Amino acid sequence: MQKVEGIRHIVEVNNIISKQTEEQVPSDLSAWIVLVATKRDKRAFTAIFTFFAPKIKRFGIKQLNTDAMAAELVQETLSRVWNKASLFDPNKGAATTWVYSIMRNAAFDMLRKIKVKNELLLGDDIWPIEAEEYSTSEEFSDHLMDRQIADYVDQLPEAQKLVVKGVYFQELSQEQLAKQLNIPIGTVKSRLRLALAKLKEQVGESHD
């Protein structure tokens, strides 16, 4: 199913680019890019920006769903045009094809970053669930506060020890602890998860 959706997305992107390419194109467009490449001509770049910016933004709104992301796509695409103008060869293809190819690659890069960011956020959301499973287990409710567990806690790396003591001994919330230690809440969750895993392993070994 994901493969089919991916194919549909590529076809849709190509259709949009084809439609935009069919619009009236200034005859000087290739010459403007060459001027940017050879002379870093800002007037030529302004003309390129004026022609492409609204088209790229329409594409961005359709593919990225927000005005802010579409505006970012405009900036990213045309920045790449400025920086890579020397790679454009008017003898190998149309200026519009070259610019829209850059636009498409920039959009795909942004979509990948969004996906990675969402996966990282999801990863942070998993930690409280795992931590809760550990902390509410019968084993931990019976032993976490006794002397042996306290000794195990003292053997943890300093960063993990601070998180465990804050949550279980001082009874701070993860949000309060994050503010107290001046670290992101995701870091608190990650350190707690690692610490609890080590403690559970140590408790298991001591009861073998």
Side-chain angles (χ1 to χ4, degrees), residues 113-129:
K113 288 180 182 178
I114 292 171
K115 181 180 179 182
V116 170
K117 182 178 179 181
N118 288 341
E119 288 175 348
L120 290 174
L121 290 175
L122 176 61
D124 278 347
D125 289 342
I126 291 173
W127 304 146
I129 297 173

Side-chain angles (χ1 to χ4, degrees), residues 4 20-21 51 59 64 69 113 140 149 160 166 181:
V4 172
Q20 292 178 337
T21 304
F51 176 74
F59 174 86
L64 304 172
M69 294 295 289
K113 288 180 182 178
F140 269 76
I149 292 297
Q160 296 176 20
L181 298 176

Side-chain angles (χ1 to χ4, degrees), residues 43-101:
R43 288 187 179 181
F45 183 72
T46 298
I48 293 169
F49 194 101
T50 301
F51 176 74
F52 281 109
K55 299 171 178 59
I56 296 172
K57 187 169 184 179
R58 287 201 302 270
F59 174 86
I61 290 173
K62 187 172 182 62
Q63 298 301 314
L64 304 172
N65 299 320
T66 69
D67 282 342
M69 294 295 289
E72 184 178 340
L73 179 62
V74 171
Q75 295 297 324
E76 180 62 24
T77 300
L78 291 169
S79 292
R80 293 186 187 188
V81 168
W82 173 265
N83 292 324
K84 297 182 178 183
S86 60
L87 300 179
F88 171 66
D89 186 346
N91 296 318
K92 292 184 177 180
T96 49
T97 301
W98 185 73
V99 173
Y100 288 139
S101 177

Side-chain angles (χ1 to χ4, degrees), residues 137-208:
S137 67
E138 183 177 349
E139 182 176 39
F140 269 76
S141 62
D142 288 343
H143 299 288
L144 186 58
M145 297 300 292
D146 68 15
R147 184 64 255 168
Q148 187 177 28
I149 292 297
D151 290 340
Y152 290 152
V153 170
D154 286 335
Q155 296 173 27
L156 291 170
E158 186 65 24
Q160 296 176 20
K161 180 168 62 178
L162 288 174
V163 170
V164 171
K165 286 187 173 182
V167 171
Y168 291 102
F169 296 175
Q170 299 176 34
E171 297 184 351
L172 297 173
S173 70
Q174 293 180 10
E175 291 78 7
Q176 290 172 328
L177 189 58
K179 290 181 180 179
Q180 180 175 303
L181 298 176
N182 194 28
I183 58 177
I185 182 67
T187 302
V188 171
K189 295 172 182 177
S190 179
R191 290 177 182 176
L192 183 61
R193 175 183 65 86
L194 293 171
L196 292 176
K198 289 180 181 178
L199 290 174
K200 185 171 184 179
E201 182 180 346
Q202 290 175 314
V203 170
E205 289 175 352
S206 68
H207 284 77
D208 286 343

